[in-house]
Amino acid sequence: MSTVIGLVLLVLLIIFIAQNQAIVPLQYFGWNGSVSLGLTLFISAVAGGLVIAVVAVARIIQLRSTAAAQRKKLNR
């Protein structure tokens, strides 16, 4: 079921990118250029997802460390 949902979202994303092909100016840390709007939004979404994933992994590691310390404390 999750594969079907993922494929539907992918198709919707492809349609979104295809419909937003207007060229927009882009300035980023001194770099200037022109990129399609759909591609710019896609890259921004992927970058945001990566930031969220890194924060989530850090939190999971923190929670596992805390749980391990509590288990160790209880076993004494």
Side-chain angles (χ1 to χ4, degrees):
M1 182 66 174
S2 61
T3 303
V4 173
I5 292 171
L7 288 174
V8 168
L9 290 175
L10 182 61
V11 168
L12 291 174
L13 180 64
I14 291 170
I15 292 169
F16 175 78
I17 292 172
Q19 289 180 345
N20 288 285
Q21 289 298 314
I23 302 297
V24 294
L26 181 67
Q27 298 175 354
Y28 188 72
F29 290 118
W31 180 78
N32 296 317
S34 298
V35 183
S36 72
L37 178 61
L39 182 61
T40 303
L41 293 173
F42 175 70
I43 291 171
S44 298
V46 169
L50 289 174
V51 168
I52 295 298
V54 167
V55 170
V57 167
R59 180 66 176 151
I60 289 170
I61 291 170
Q62 180 186 27
L63 290 173
R64 286 185 179 179
S65 174
T66 303
Q70 288 178 351
R71 275 194 306 267
K72 189 174 183 180
K73 189 175 181 181
L74 288 174
N75 289 335
R76 288 185 186 176

